[in-house]
């Protein structure tokens, strides 16, 4: 059984605990704190567990030339990439305001620390867990420093190889036992052919003592629901209030109606997963009583006759008789009473037969 741990206060993940659903607001707030608050409230209303943002200290994430390069994309909020990113970046004071608003609403709040200084700020902000974005997953100095802070971690794995993810696991595990890894493909929007859900099972084999999850950038909800059926314990999806807004993430994001449907679908799938123990259930008893088959006599069988296969058949019988799976056990046993042709052969008329039909009792 995968490791279970407390990702947020009072909220366990892994094992049989419900899938933890992260609504990734990221920078889809357009740089407007009021929109950001609306998105936090939307995430809560839709049933998500956590509203997540992306925090950068831009001079630590980008070098000067990267910030100064012209940015003429239709998605741009400024003439340079630095101006664009500054428009979308909330201040420390604004982050505190958003965190307090999330508390009022009643939803967990965190952010991806997009550089080491951002992680320091989020640590001071006392977020419940650190999210490591795919861009920092192979940044081993960053991983080590983040892991040493002792907060739970959720690590995405876009753009990485299995060899790198083994190093990631070993690096984090050395300092921090409470983390999970998410299968992820870093494309926006993501085509189904590139999702690679089978990696979830490979991660479960490679890292059997941590929960595994899925961070998706595809359109719609079906693939994310399938990830839960495959055992994902954390689901992260980008969310938006309007897919037509400026910004490269909106197209790969879920609008409120889709997020609501995703949460409902995940909870339904979780209910359907069951225990893995195959047995007749109480809900099946009416069908079994009506249509379940029994062993019947093909011919009249006098008292004391030793049974052979040519005497036995299988039909829906009344009353209910010996189940068909036991028909071969009856050969060689004798009947203790006369059995008419086409009658059910019941346990009480066969010498040394005492099996009873069992079903799970709840």
């Amino acid at each position: 059984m995968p490791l279970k741990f407390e990702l947020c206060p009072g909220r366990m993940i892994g094992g049989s605990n419900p899938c933890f659903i992260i609504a990734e607001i990221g920078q889809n707030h357009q740089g407007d704190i009021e929109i950001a608050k609306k998105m936090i409230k939307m995430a809560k209303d839709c049933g998500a567990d956590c509203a997540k943002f992306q925090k950068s200290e831009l001079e630590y994430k980008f070098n000067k030339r990267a910030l100064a390069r012209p940015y003429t994309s239709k998605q741009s909020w400024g003439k340079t990439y630095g101006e664009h990113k500054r428009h979308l970046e909330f201040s420390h004071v604004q982050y505190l305001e958003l965190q307090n608003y999330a508390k009022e609403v009643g939803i967990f709040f965190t952010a991806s620390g997009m550089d080491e200084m951002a992680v320091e700020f989020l640590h001071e902000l006392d977020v419940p867990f650190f999210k490591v974005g795919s861009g920092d997953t192979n940044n081993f100095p960053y991983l080590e420093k983040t892991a040493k802070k002792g907060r739970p971690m959720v690590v995405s794995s876009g753009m990485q190889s299995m060899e790198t993810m083994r190093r990631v696991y070993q690096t984090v595990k050395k300092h921090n036992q409470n983390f999970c890894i998410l299968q992820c493909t870093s494309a926006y929007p993501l085509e189904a052919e590139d999702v690679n859900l089978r990696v979830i099972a490979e991660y479960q084999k490679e890292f059997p003592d941590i929960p595994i999850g899925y961070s998706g950038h595809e359109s719609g909800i079906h693939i994310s629901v399938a990830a839960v059926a495959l055992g994902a314990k954390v689901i992260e999806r980008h969310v938006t209030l309007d897919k037509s807004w400026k910004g490269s993430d909106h197209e790969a994001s879920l609008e409120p109606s889709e997020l609501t449907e995703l949460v409902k679908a995940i909870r339904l799938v979780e209910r359907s997963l069951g225990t893995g123990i195959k047995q007749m259930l109480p809900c099946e008893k009416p069908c079994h009583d009506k249509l379940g088959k029994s062993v019947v006599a093909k011919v009249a069988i006098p008292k004391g006759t030793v049974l052979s296969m040519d005497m036995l058949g299988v039909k829906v019988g009344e009353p209910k008789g010996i189940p068909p799976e036991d028909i071969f056990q009856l050969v060689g046993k004798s009947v203790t009473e006369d059995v008419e042709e086409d009658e059910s052969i019941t346990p009480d008329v066969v010498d040394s037969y005492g099996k009873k039909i069992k079903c799970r009792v709840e």
Side-chain angles (χ1 to χ4, degrees):
M1 179 64 71
L3 177 70
K4 298 180 288 186
F5 65 88
E6 189 176 59
L7 183 64
C8 296
R11 182 60 160 86
M12 301 289 291
I13 66 164
S16 60
N17 293 288
C19 178
F20 189 83
I21 302 171
I22 300 172
E24 164 70 296
I25 295 169
Q27 296 191 323
N28 281 353
H29 47 68
Q30 313 298 86
D32 185 324
I33 195 166
E34 294 306 316
I35 291 177
K37 288 180 179 178
K38 287 179 182 177
M39 296 184 76
I40 291 172
K41 182 66 162 56
M42 178 269 284
K44 170 64 177 179
D45 291 344
C46 293
D49 295 292
C50 180
K52 190 182 82 65
F53 290 78
Q54 295 175 4
K55 183 70 184 95
S56 298
E57 302 294 345
L58 297 179
E59 286 70 23
Y60 290 89
K61 181 178 180 182
F62 301 99
N63 69 10
K64 293 177 182 178
R65 290 183 65 178
L67 290 172
R69 69 178 169 87
Y71 194 50
T72 58
S73 164
K74 65 179 182 179
Q75 312 292 359
S76 175
W77 293 96
K79 293 180 181 179
T80 66
Y81 196 64
E83 289 179 6
H84 166 76
K85 295 301 289 185
R86 287 186 187 96
H87 175 83
L88 293 171
E89 199 62 49
F90 290 135
S91 69
H92 290 191
V93 172
Q94 287 174 314
Y95 257 86
L96 182 59
E97 184 178 344
L98 291 172
Q99 183 185 53
N100 288 333
Y101 180 74
K103 288 178 183 176
E104 290 177 22
V105 169
I107 189 171
F108 294 118
F109 173 91
T110 194
S112 298
M114 309 301 279
D115 54 79
E116 290 181 16
M117 290 305 295
V119 171
E120 292 295 334
F121 165 66
L122 293 171
H123 188 52
E124 292 173 9
L125 197 64
D126 197 26
V127 295
F129 67 92
F130 292 129
K131 171 68 198 301
V132 178
S134 294
D136 279 304
T137 299
N138 61 348
N139 181 351
F140 289 99
Y142 166 103
L143 278 181
E144 188 169 20
K145 289 179 183 178
T146 303
K148 284 181 176 178
K149 294 189 179 300
R151 295 184 188 276
M153 295 170 64
V154 175
V155 184
S156 278
S157 61
M159 305 178 287
Q160 311 303 328
S161 66
M162 183 63 84
E163 181 180 359
T164 297
M165 293 314 298
R166 292 188 187 106
R167 285 186 61 194
V168 169
Y169 170 84
Q170 292 163 0
T171 299
V172 176
K173 191 77 171 177
K174 182 178 178 182
H175 305 288
N176 191 335
Q177 301 296 306
N178 295 332
F179 71 103
C180 66
I181 290 174
L182 310 185
Q183 161 57 0
C184 177
T185 302
S186 298
Y188 306 81
L190 175 61
E191 296 298 324
E193 292 78 9
D194 296 321
V195 171
N196 209 356
L197 285 180
R198 287 194 174 98
V199 172
I200 292 173
E202 294 305 309
Y203 280 166
Q204 290 166 337
K205 288 187 283 187
E206 288 278 346
F207 317 122
D209 58 348
I210 65 169
I212 302 300
Y214 174 70
S215 178
H217 305 127
E218 71 278 359
S219 299
I221 70 169
H222 299 95
I223 289 170
S224 295
V225 175
V228 175
L230 290 172
K233 302 301 182 183
V234 174
I235 290 290
E236 178 185 62
R237 288 298 305 270
H238 286 254
V239 298
T240 182
L241 295 179
D242 188 337
K243 291 185 184 185
S244 68
W245 280 355
K246 182 190 291 189
S248 56
D249 285 349
H250 291 285
E251 188 179 354
S253 300
L254 300 178
E255 291 183 338
S257 61
E258 294 174 299
L259 180 59
T260 297
E261 191 60 32
L262 174 65
V263 173
K264 288 180 179 177
I266 286 173
R267 300 308 177 213
L268 180 63
V269 167
E270 287 176 326
R271 287 171 52 202
S272 75
L273 290 175
T275 64
I277 299 170
K278 183 58 183 171
Q279 58 187 336
M280 189 190 299
L281 299 177
C283 65
E284 296 178 291
K285 191 173 185 301
C287 184
H288 181 266
D289 289 347
K290 181 179 179 182
L291 297 174
K293 293 189 175 183
S294 301
V295 179
V296 299
K298 281 187 177 179
V299 295
I301 306 173
K303 177 180 178 180
T305 301
V306 175
L307 296 172
S308 59
M309 275 300 299
D310 59 356
M311 302 175 185
L312 307 174
V314 175
K315 292 183 178 181
V316 176
E318 184 64 39
K320 194 67 64 184
I322 290 172
E325 67 261 28
D326 288 353
I327 192 169
F328 299 117
Q329 297 179 28
L330 302 181
V331 174
K333 290 184 168 59
S334 58
V335 293
T336 57
E337 297 178 18
D338 292 339
V339 181
E340 297 296 323
E341 180 183 350
D342 203 44
E343 286 295 305
S344 300
I345 298 180
T346 55
D348 58 296
V349 303
V350 179
D351 189 36
S352 301
Y353 180 87
K355 183 173 180 179
K356 296 182 180 178
I357 299 171
K358 297 180 180 179
C359 69
R360 180 166 64 88
V361 178
E362 294 183 328

